[in-house]
Amino acid sequence: MSNIYKEPAPYHKGEANPFESMLIRFDQAAQIYNLDKGLYNYLKHPVKQVIVSIPVQMDNGNLEVFEGYRVIHDNILGPSKGGIRYAPDVDIEEVKALASWMTWKCAIANLPFGGAKGGIKCDPKKLSVGELEKLTRRYTANMLEIFGPDIDIPAPDMNTDEQVMAWIMDTYSMHKRKTVTGVVTGKPVIIGGSRGRREATGRGVMIATLAACGKINIEPAGMEVAVQGFGNVGSVSAKLLFEKGAKIVAISDVTGGFYNKDGIDIPAAIEFVKAHKTLEGSDFGTPITNEELLEIDCKVLIPAAKEDQINADNASRIKATLIVEGANGPTKAEADEILRSREIMVIPDILANSGGVIVSYFEWVQDRLGYFWEEEDVNGRLNRMMTEAFDAVYFTALKYNSTLRLAAYIYAIDKVSQVLKLRGIYG
Ligand code: GLU
């Protein structure tokens, strides 16, 4: 076995929110890297945090006011990039954490982007299509000075999709009096989206999983995989690994999940969800909860649902040899040391789920050129960039004798701080 587990990582407990959880890893990596104190302070804080009120005339005639956020963590490597999520519990602390994760993610993937994230506190399931459109358009109008193809480029995230991106593009374009496709990525292909973008995050998870399997001698054919979350990331990861011969023994969504030791027919599960919106009411195996799924007997665990799923309590019961973080922040910092001491390899979120933003970059490039690539070009380039990113992080882990998570942060901090030093501080 390689020595990437042997580092005596400091064990922190009691982080209160996702931003602090991110900072714990950033602090550990900055310490190992010996990051200059001034640069540390620069990179710790986001450069801009915007909170807007979004009034929406609801279908029932009532006026409701929603809260919207956009946090620019930095624009050192280029314009800031990152998705927008719609959720009832999203807040500025979560968006701050997600924005800084985008900085590290883009740096690791070698993209010319800084990091950002946005969100609207709302329950999208309770909104009609019309209300969702009004909410999106007014949010975009309120962010007119923030967004821009050379400034800050949003994309889909939790509960936002191609249609939402199309509304953002149209609203921005109406104000600018010209069509500006490059202001947002993750658009439908017919209005400047990229082929392969929809599947890109899941495809990247599959690529990262296979790259890791190669390092720890797991044969993908027949390996047991459990996938938490059956949205865009989880279902595509499951489908592509299923196509590689893996046995997907457990899947779940917000309604719960199923375990089947003989393997689940993933294309059938995808068809079911297409028809019924959730896995509820299907019969793909023994019903299990989302918590039980994490502790299932399997080789590979892919948490692809939401934050803070793996914690100090359940980390000791996880049976997988390899965890591939499809979601952003599925592992609390308090679980890192437990997983490391148990020699469970973790491909961290900022590496594992970077396929989405990599193809967003391709979309932005294609929009700027006005020339669109074939899907096999997109997938081929994604494969190459993900593999390069994986290798870079893997060799950083060997160099610093650290976990892959800390190595990913160290690699990103190295790149971003080098560019920051070259650009210098203006003022
Ligand atoms: N929301 C995705 C992420 O967390 C994609 C961001 C993007 O494409 O800009 O990586």
Side-chain angles (χ1 to χ4, degrees):
M1 215 29 268
S2 64
N3 62 350
I4 52 179
Y5 304 114
K6 303 241 169 73
E7 155 219 340
Y11 183 29
H12 293 261
K13 266 187 134 171
E15 72 271 20
N17 61 46
F19 185 63
E20 282 167 21
S21 181
M22 184 286 300
L23 272 185
I24 288 170
R25 275 78 170 246
F26 173 65
D27 281 0
Q28 290 175 2
Q31 225 170 15
I32 298 171
Y33 180 76
N34 211 0
L35 181 66
D36 168 271
K37 187 92 186 90
L39 296 179
Y40 169 83
N41 282 331
Y42 187 113
L43 294 175
K44 192 171 167 170
H45 303 289
V47 296
K48 201 177 278 183
Q49 301 176 50
V50 183
I51 302 181
V52 291
S53 289
I54 313 163
V56 175
Q57 198 77 58
M58 306 299 278
D59 294 348
N60 64 7
N62 291 347
L63 176 65
E64 270 190 42
V65 182
F66 297 85
E67 195 162 85
Y69 317 94
R70 187 73 179 168
V71 172
I72 314 291
H73 178 256
D74 80 291
N75 37 34
I76 297 165
L77 299 183
S80 51
K81 188 84 192 77
I84 296 170
R85 62 173 52 181
Y86 290 179
D89 54 355
V90 67
D91 61 19
I92 194 77
E93 290 302 311
E94 181 182 3
V95 177
K96 267 164 71 180
L98 290 160
S100 45
W101 276 324
M102 287 309 301
T103 296
W104 316 130
K105 204 184 287 192
C106 292
I108 294 164
N110 254 317
L111 307 178
F113 290 140
K117 203 81 174 194
I120 302 179
K121 198 191 271 297
C122 66
D123 187 349
K125 281 191 219 80
K126 294 202 180 122
L127 299 175
S128 69
V129 175
E131 289 166 344
L132 210 55
E133 177 173 354
K134 284 189 207 166
L135 180 73
T136 303
R137 288 188 183 276
R138 186 62 186 258
Y139 170 77
T140 307
N142 287 357
M143 294 290 176
L144 220 53
E145 293 79 25
I146 304 296
F147 296 163
D150 300 310
I151 312 170
D152 177 46
I153 308 131
D157 199 77
M158 209 181 273
N159 297 325
T160 55
D161 58 10
E162 292 183 352
Q163 176 61 76
V164 172
M165 299 306 117
W167 289 328
I168 293 176
M169 189 278 266
D170 183 69
T171 308
Y172 186 86
S173 298
M174 287 297 135
H175 281 272
K176 297 290 170 189
R177 297 282 183 261
K178 62 180 179 182
T179 297
V180 188
T181 51
V183 69
V184 65
T185 60
K187 302 178 294 294
V189 171
I190 51 169
I191 54 162
S194 175
R195 294 186 177 86
R197 175 63 185 83
R198 202 181 300 162
E199 293 205 322
T201 311
R203 182 172 293 279
V205 168
M206 180 271 287
I207 297 166
T209 305
L210 296 189
C213 286
K215 301 286 186 209
I216 52 176
N217 295 321
I218 300 179
E219 178 55 52
M223 71 181 176
E224 288 123 349
V225 182
V227 184
Q228 188 197 48
F230 211 65
N232 187 248
V233 183
S235 68
V236 174
S237 311
K239 184 186 90 175
L240 296 177
L241 285 166
F242 175 85
E243 287 170 4
K244 296 281 174 196
K247 197 172 14 161
I248 315 298
V249 292
I251 54 173
S252 69
D253 66 12
V254 278
T255 65
F258 295 96
Y259 172 69
N260 184 342
K261 70 172 173 34
D262 298 324
I264 294 168
D265 182 348
I266 297 300
I270 290 174
E271 280 311 308
F272 186 92
V273 170
K274 219 184 253 169
H276 302 89
K277 296 232 178 328
T278 69
L279 287 166
E280 200 171 22
S282 66
D283 183 19
F284 290 108
T286 313
I288 51 170
T289 64
N290 268 293
E291 292 74 35
E292 285 164 347
L293 181 139
L294 299 170
E295 299 172 22
I296 283 289
D297 201 1
C298 62
K299 268 266 180 274
V300 183
L301 172 64
I302 303 180
K306 48 189 272 194
E307 283 127 71
D308 296 344
Q309 299 299 295
I310 301 173
N311 51 42
D313 178 42
N314 61 13
S316 56
R317 296 191 298 270
I318 285 175
K319 298 186 188 65
T321 313
L322 172 65
I323 298 176
V324 187
E325 296 185 336
N328 287 311
T331 307
K332 285 181 129 184
E334 64 188 27
D336 285 353
E337 169 57 16
I338 301 167
L339 298 172
R340 186 198 66 78
S341 67
R342 297 189 58 220
E343 301 205 349
I344 296 173
M345 187 189 240
V346 181
I347 315 292
D349 45 8
I350 50 177
L351 169 62
N353 70 32
S354 61
V357 72
I358 291 175
V359 178
S360 273
Y361 166 58
F362 297 162
E363 179 173 334
W364 180 76
V365 168
Q366 292 170 76
D367 286 341
R368 291 164 84 91
L369 288 175
Y371 176 73
F372 292 87
W373 313 344
E374 296 303 322
E375 187 160 353
E376 60 177 351
D377 293 335
V378 172
N379 292 346
R381 287 172 200 256
L382 171 62
N383 194 24
R384 200 185 64 226
M385 290 183 75
M386 278 295 300
T387 308
E388 280 171 8
F390 181 89
D391 286 343
V393 170
Y394 190 80
F395 288 112
T396 306
L398 294 181
K399 179 174 165 194
Y400 286 89
N401 192 19
S402 78
T403 58
L404 291 174
R405 186 185 312 282
L406 286 184
Y409 278 86
I410 292 170
Y411 182 79
I413 288 172
D414 177 51
K415 172 155 317 150
V416 175
S417 62
Q418 272 193 56
V419 176
L420 183 54
K421 271 192 249 171
L422 283 169
R423 288 184 69 155
I425 305 296
Y426 176 65

